[in-house]
Amino acid sequence: MSNNIKSVPFLDLVTPHAELRSELTAVFREALRTAGFVGGPMVESFEREFAKFCETQYCVGLGSGTDALRFALIAAGIGNGDAVITVPNTFIATTEAIAQAGAYPVFVDIVERTYNMDVAKLQAYLESCESHSASGPLRDRKTQAIVKAIVPVHLYGQMADMDAILALAERYNLIVIEDACQAHGAEYFSQKENCWKKAGSMGLAAAFSFYPGKNLGACGEAGAVTTNDEKIATTIKMIRDHGQSRKYYHDLVGYNGRLDSIQAGFLSVKLKHLAEWNIKRRAHAAKYRELFGANTENCVLPYELPSTRPVYHLYVIRTADREGLRISLAESGIGTAIHYPVPLHLQTAYVSMGHKHGDFPVTEKVASEILSLPMYPGLQHDEQVRVVANVIEEIGIRRSSQSVGVGAREQAV
Ligand SMILES: *Cc1c(COP(=O)(O)O)cnc(C)c1O
């Protein structure tokens, strides 16, 4: 290893913007020339292009991924006194949107291998609900709220088990809204439809975020809903624009949640590269696995379900002494992050929900062990070599000083 050690950032947002500089500035110049800042052709083109990318009929551009989740739920008819099921290991925007639509979030724990919703636990929860007749509403026993919808999160870029979730939703007459904010371009093989499906094309509607660090990121805030339901698309177009059906005729109480035209133009430029960027992320994930080789006794690498093609928004490993590893990598100039350190049900903002430690044990266990390693399309081979060498070395030192951990358990299997 050289003496002058180059740092490896967790994420590099500077290089791709330098590479696209002339195309991006052309968008800005065009917006200035036409003073088209809200709505107009740049928004409409991006919506058409992103719908095509997601293999859906409609895309509605919005101000953020949080707006997208909130508006999709509202347009689907979720409101006061309803309950919406999601997972406790996600970004808080998922549950903020549920609450802001007027509903109660209900948590279902995750599968340890994929970090996505555990369908067996979803089924157990649904079976635990009260229902007085076969066609009558399903009520959450604790809150008496009517269970109306499921929001599966395609976390880290891998899709949740959508066939199973949609089958339960059909049986219990529930709406499914996908949180695809980390999964632009991810795919899932549907046994039911016997074909690969894109993230955002399986639920009644799906939310995407174009926050700068996402696989497709704006140069600011942006988001979108995709759907094959014309009525949902039309309603969200009204909700994002103060509930207007035409100027100053307000059919419903809406929001100001439109996609900025300049951001739409930037997104169109970047969308052309998204498929290639996702291929690179997948190649980096394969390279990480190859570099780890057999050195995985004390750490867990991401697991790819055979029915999914993840797009690695994040590359998340697990180890017993996560904090120790994180500090040592930082000392070697390697950037990491934690997604997420505190499960939602244990956040201060949610004390009123009355949850306690132990309510969602899988989420709680992984929250103390997960670490996101550097992952972005421009990640270099020598950078990955350095990251993995540092992780293996550090975990090796820790293994010899302690005998119990993730690895010890797995070795016993
Ligand atoms: C980023 C993200 C959101 C929110 O998107 P914003 O554009 O930041 O509002 C929602 N859910 C998940 C899982 C996310 O990663």
Side-chain angles (χ1 to χ4, degrees), residues 51-265:
K52 185 159 179 257
F53 180 86
C54 295
E55 295 167 7
T56 59
Q57 260 174 293
Y58 308 97
C59 165
V60 185
L62 301 166
S64 68
T66 312
D67 275 355
L69 281 163
R70 190 196 307 125
F71 298 171
L73 289 163
I74 295 170
I78 310 300
N80 282 336
D82 294 336
V84 176
I85 304 164
T86 191
V87 286
N89 79 317
T90 174
F91 183 54
I92 195 165
T94 316
T95 46
E96 282 174 333
I98 293 168
Q100 288 161 2
Y104 294 98
V106 171
F107 294 121
V108 161
D109 211 349
I110 56 162
V111 177
E112 188 170 334
R113 268 199 319 191
T114 62
Y115 311 111
N116 279 329
M117 184 178 278
D118 185 330
V119 177
K121 286 176 184 161
L122 171 64
Q123 179 164 358
Y125 168 74
L126 292 169
E127 284 168 0
S128 80
C129 288
E130 277 173 29
S131 120
H132 298 295
S133 66
S135 59
L138 211 58
R139 281 185 194 277
D140 179 273
R141 279 188 192 274
K142 203 163 76 184
T143 60
Q144 287 297 306
I146 297 176
V147 182
K148 282 255 184 81
I150 308 168
V151 180
V153 181
H154 305 320
L155 203 71
Y156 309 150
Q158 173 159 244
M159 284 179 73
D161 188 359
M162 289 302 289
D163 272 354
I165 291 168
L166 289 167
L168 281 172
E170 199 177 316
R171 187 186 316 162
Y172 288 93
N173 199 17
L174 304 173
I175 289 158
V176 175
I177 306 287
E178 297 167 68
D179 182 338
C181 288
Q182 300 189 359
H184 320 65
E187 290 175 288
Y188 173 89
F189 189 83
S190 168
Q191 295 286 346
K192 188 170 176 225
E193 300 190 44
N194 196 31
C195 64
W196 286 92
K197 303 284 292 182
K198 282 276 181 78
S201 70
M202 295 192 77
L204 175 64
F208 285 90
S209 165
F210 306 123
Y211 185 76
K214 301 288 165 89
N215 288 31
L216 177 63
C219 303
E221 304 278 354
V225 165
T226 55
T227 182
N228 287 315
D229 187 304
E230 189 184 357
K231 189 152 183 298
I232 294 277
T234 316
T235 307
I236 293 176
K237 280 187 180 167
M238 284 165 59
I239 295 172
R240 75 173 170 185
D241 197 20
H242 305 287
Q244 300 185 124
S245 51
R246 55 195 167 106
K247 204 161 179 68
Y248 304 131
Y249 290 78
H250 308 274
D251 295 3
L252 47 87
V253 180
Y255 291 82
N256 177 350
R258 297 172 298 247
L259 171 61
D260 187 279
S261 311
I262 293 174
Q263 296 303 338

